[in-house]
Amino acid sequence: MSARATFKRTSLICAGLFVALVIVIVLMSLLGSEKLPAQSAVCALLSFGKQSCGLTSDQSAILFDIRLPRILLGAAVGASLAVAGASYQSLLRNPLAEPYLLGISNGAAVGTMVALVFLGANEWSRPLLAFIGALLATLLVYRLAQGRTGASPERLILAGVIVTTFLSSAIVFVTTLMDATRIRSFTFWLLGDLSGTTSKLLWLALFIAIAGTIVLTAHARSLNLLMLGERDAFDLGVEVSRVRLVVFVVASLLVGSSVASSGSVGYVGLVVPHLMRLSLGSDNRITVPAAAICGAIFVVVADTLARTLIAPRELPVGAITALIGAPLFVYLLRRN
Amino acid sequence: MVKTHLQLNKSSAPGLALALVIGIALLLASCSRSRPPAIDTSNFSRVTDEAGRTISLPHPVTKFVSLAPNLTEIVFALNAGDGLVGRTTYCNYPAAAQRVETVGDTLKPSIERILALKPQVVFVSTASQLEAFTSQLEAHQIAVYVTDSHDLEGVFRSMRRIAELLGKQAEAEALLHQLDARVKAVEEKVAARPPVRVFYQVSDEPLYTIGRDAFITDLLKRAGGISVTADVPGAWPKFSAESALAARPEAIILPTGGSMGNANSNIAAALKRSPAALHGRIYKINDDHLSRPGPRSVDGLEELARALHPEVFEN
């Protein structure tokens, strides 16, 4: 397919998916532990909050200050994790490469915890240290996976298991040192929770999700060639080590900002790219941006379930993504 | 010879393993048989604890371990601190308690340390979720008494029961008489006042509150308030921010300070537009007075009532 035809197809698919995302965001913001009059809520949303449309001040606070920011955060987190997963899978030529399974989310979680325990007052320290933690975990997994014969898929997953369990122990160690009242919040956060973030971190997460998707989509052609193997990609003119560095840094930013704002939401980076490849083919120029939008839809829907299933109590969204993701993944594996 | 011993073929390996297991089992059995009866059980009485479990105890109990800060406080308030041989790292009140040896924290006590202290009974609070641990202690003939209170009545009942076990009935009567009078005084003062709708914030991020099983829900009611989450199932539910705002609380209680340090000293962002925040009715109260169902709960009750109804406490 010519580059122009691919671009046209990508644009069409992404535009369609984006419309679907907007519809999902509007629909999901009508659902919650408190009932809002649907018509007024849609009217207020479509006017971007400029008109009250008959909502009381409490109702519009619920819609615009509580629900919508949480939904947008869910979209940012879902897009970030799906794009990170899609690019790891192509770069490492491994269908199981995913931030959660490779221990990269845990690296970011350790970074966030260090920031919370030692630099609690500074809001920006969380995403910064989460990014550093994610990047260090990525480099560690990558080094461990390199054998004399190169990185085999089994070696990579094994390295991921080692790093994941090691960092999990580090997390347990830190929580043991914390007092009882904070442990409960942490265990909830570790399972992935979108309920508590500041608007600054929300804007950061949205910015990184969009910018990261653009940067990695721009490298999609190189990622396609890398799927042939690093040597072949090099022969075809890909600057392999530069592309690898870009993917590692950008994906670590994506994982770091989502973990810092919402903990470890699992399975998104695994399930969403696989669904994209099954339905759209393996061209990263389409799968990377499509995974971003579908990842956003997946997490927004999962979090709506987390918010409403046992309302007014709440579940961690990570439990929902795992409950949906694990069986879906088994189904996908068996179908192939 | 040695070589043949080491060169086990496959068919003999299970046999050897079985022999080993039987050997160890016999060894263990002989150990427990040869152990002299630890305590003369003739003067033991059978009691039912607050979780409905039947245990047998010497009377009075003179040597015990507490695995919860509220139980340590009760024991000292009953003037029975001398018999306390082990406590958790959270048991930091009264000052005398800090001289007692620790057996770890409430979530992960050290079973070895407790066994070494040879207590007659270990006091446990249901809040600590130590079911597995309880059976382990009982396997070693150490009785476990579980307290379980969901309201202030229940707290006083626990105090009376513990006093009976420790032979401190007279102390309990004096203490409970005094506490009861203070509770009645508060209740009389707020009786005529309209109840204030309260949101009790256990933590802001993520948002936790108290549910119908928390004893603080009862404490708030007696203090002339009403928890807006009084009907939510459970004791410490994670709560929806929008429901907290929609409940329009008139006052917000932040349990903080004490052992909590400065954790939980800000209200959740979602509550900044609540009537409580708009009218500046946010009260920080020492968490140790609220989260430990014991004698200091009455301090907590008085502090809650003063916060919710300052008008009736002005002298």
Side-chain angles (χ1 to χ4, degrees):
Chain A
M1 211 187 296
S2 74
R4 175 168 295 193
T6 308
F7 182 77
K8 203 175 159 192
R9 180 165 174 250
T10 305
S11 310
L12 268 176
I13 289 171
C14 289
L17 287 174
F18 189 76
V19 171
L21 174 64
V22 171
I23 293 172
V24 164
I25 288 178
V26 171
L27 286 179
M28 296 302 119
S29 60
L30 301 180
L31 300 172
S33 60
E34 296 302 312
K35 265 206 160 69
L36 295 184
Q39 250 180 332
S40 313
V42 172
C43 160
L45 279 172
L46 296 181
S47 76
F48 292 98
K50 290 197 181 66
Q51 286 165 28
S52 75
C53 300
L55 291 179
T56 67
S57 70
D58 271 4
Q59 286 172 332
S60 62
I62 286 174
L63 188 58
F64 290 103
D65 298 347
I66 301 175
R67 254 184 228 177
L68 204 55
R70 180 165 173 168
I71 288 172
L72 292 178
L73 179 66
V77 166
S80 298
L81 294 174
V83 166
S87 34
Y88 282 135
Q89 282 149 27
S90 297
L91 177 74
L92 303 169
R93 290 183 302 285
N94 190 323
L96 290 173
E98 195 251 359
Y100 198 68
L101 292 178
L102 290 183
I104 297 162
S105 295
N106 267 352
V110 171
T112 311
M113 289 183 86
V114 169
L116 278 168
V117 173
F118 298 106
L119 305 159
N122 188 341
E123 218 172 348
W124 299 111
S125 68
R126 281 196 240 170
L128 183 67
L129 288 190
F131 162 64
I132 294 171
L135 191 58
L136 289 178
T138 308
L139 295 177
L140 184 62
V141 170
Y142 186 71
R143 280 271 163 270
L144 286 175
Q146 294 294 320
R148 265 168 301 179
T149 54
S152 69
E154 293 80 16
R155 246 188 115 92
L156 183 75
I157 295 307
L158 205 59
V161 169
I162 293 168
V163 171
T164 304
T165 45
F166 175 76
L167 292 174
S168 296
S169 318
I171 291 170
V172 170
F173 186 73
V174 178
T175 42
T176 313
L177 299 179
M178 281 190 296
D179 51 90
T181 45
R182 291 175 76 181
I183 289 173
R184 188 174 37 212
S185 342
F186 268 107
T187 44
F188 214 92
W189 174 80
L190 281 176
L191 280 168
D193 175 33
L194 292 164
S195 74
T197 196
T198 61
S199 55
K200 281 185 217 159
L201 290 184
L202 167 63
W203 291 121
L204 180 74
L206 278 172
F207 172 76
I208 289 183
I210 294 169
T213 305
I214 291 171
V215 171
L216 290 174
T217 307
H219 285 80
R221 215 184 70 87
S222 304
L223 286 173
N224 284 346
L225 295 175
L226 272 164
M227 287 197 288
L228 303 169
E230 289 191 356
R231 180 167 290 247
D232 289 341
F234 184 79
D235 290 344
L236 289 165
V238 176
E239 295 173 70
V240 174
S241 52
R242 193 186 66 84
V243 173
R244 187 161 56 213
L245 186 70
V246 168
V247 171
F248 281 172
V249 169
V250 174
S252 297
L253 275 169
L254 290 167
V255 175
S257 84
S258 44
V259 169
S261 55
S262 66
S264 307
V265 182
Y267 279 98
V268 182
L270 197 60
V271 172
V272 176
H274 275 261
L275 274 176
M276 294 305 105
R277 276 192 287 270
L278 279 175
S279 50
L280 301 171
S282 57
D283 183 349
N284 280 301
R285 287 172 294 182
I286 296 174
T287 46
V288 170
I293 304 174
C294 290
I297 293 176
F298 179 51
V299 173
V300 168
V301 172
D303 189 49
T304 304
L305 292 173
R307 291 187 289 126
T308 52
L309 280 181
I310 55 162
R313 292 175 292 160
E314 290 187 346
L315 293 163
V317 64
I320 307 280
T321 55
L323 278 176
I324 302 173
L328 193 62
F329 188 66
V330 171
Y331 170 74
L332 291 177
L333 273 182
R334 295 185 72 113
R335 237 188 62 170
N336 279 22
Chain B
M1 275 306 281
V2 176
K3 209 172 178 187
T4 55
H5 258 292
L6 289 176
Q7 278 178 336
L8 294 167
N9 60 40
K10 273 181 182 156
S11 63
S12 71
L16 187 87
L18 187 68
L20 209 66
V21 168
I22 293 173
I24 291 172
L26 284 172
L27 201 70
L28 287 175
S30 69
C31 278
S32 61
R33 230 194 342 262
S34 64
R35 187 196 289 164
I39 314 150
D40 174 20
T41 55
S42 57
N43 62 346
F44 269 42
S45 56
R46 294 185 77 75
V47 291
T48 307
D49 75 1
E50 292 161 40
R53 302 154 58 259
T54 306
I55 52 172
S56 91
L57 286 173
H59 189 79
V61 170
T62 52
K63 204 176 174 192
F64 48 89
V65 166
S66 158
L67 291 185
N70 62 318
L71 301 178
T72 301
E73 292 190 18
I74 290 175
V75 163
F76 276 93
L78 292 170
N79 205 12
D82 293 344
L84 187 70
V85 292
R87 57 151 183 134
T88 70
T89 48
Y90 300 144
C91 302
N92 53 5
Y93 185 90
Q98 295 184 20
R99 289 196 290 272
V100 176
E101 190 172 344
T102 64
V103 295
D105 62 34
T106 298
L107 300 170
K108 294 178 228 55
S110 156
I111 187 126
E112 292 183 16
R113 191 81 62 85
I114 295 173
L115 291 178
L117 292 170
K118 295 187 176 25
Q120 296 159 318
V121 62
V122 175
F123 289 110
V124 173
S125 169
T126 39
S128 320
Q129 296 163 349
L130 289 169
E131 282 82 3
F133 188 72
T134 303
S135 55
Q136 225 179 337
L137 280 173
E138 282 176 337
H140 288 90
Q141 279 93 41
I142 292 180
V144 178
Y145 184 89
V146 179
T147 65
D148 183 24
S149 46
H150 296 284
D151 50 26
L152 198 58
E153 272 323 309
V155 178
F156 288 173
R157 197 161 47 235
S158 291
M159 292 168 73
R160 196 167 278 124
R161 296 291 307 277
I162 291 172
E164 280 165 18
L165 299 178
L166 305 180
K168 297 281 182 185
Q169 286 93 330
E171 285 83 349
E173 282 320 305
L175 176 66
L176 288 172
H177 182 75
Q178 189 200 350
L179 292 178
D180 215 38
R182 285 168 60 195
V183 173
K184 287 222 166 65
V186 168
E187 286 176 337
E188 269 166 31
K189 278 197 162 133
V190 301
R193 307 299 307 161
V196 178
R197 296 167 51 74
V198 178
F199 182 79
Y200 188 94
Q201 179 182 297
V202 173
S203 86
D204 62 333
E205 197 188 308
L207 187 63
Y208 275 91
T209 187
I210 49 170
R212 65 178 173 219
D213 297 334
F215 109 103
I216 300 163
T217 299
D218 175 60
L219 214 57
L220 277 171
K221 200 167 145 197
R222 289 169 190 268
I226 178 155
S227 164
V228 293
T229 56
D231 296 327
V232 177
W236 314 101
K238 180 178 186 291
F239 201 65
S240 151
E242 59 183 68
S243 293
L245 178 64
R248 300 188 61 79
E250 298 165 287
I252 296 172
I253 303 289
L254 299 178
T256 182
S259 311
M260 291 259 281
N262 58 8
N264 196 36
S265 48
N266 293 306
I267 60 166
L271 288 163
K272 291 205 170 105
R273 304 179 59 135
S274 64
L278 297 178
H279 298 116
R281 298 207 65 186
I282 296 163
Y283 306 104
K284 295 181 185 177
I285 293 183
N286 187 338
D287 179 61
D288 291 350
H289 296 181
L290 294 171
S291 67
R292 300 179 172 188
R296 287 201 290 169
S297 296
V298 179
D299 296 6
L301 173 70
E302 288 170 347
E303 284 155 12
L304 283 174
R306 275 177 194 278
L308 299 179
H309 298 286
E311 67 283 359
V312 295
F313 285 91
E314 277 164 354
N315 298 317

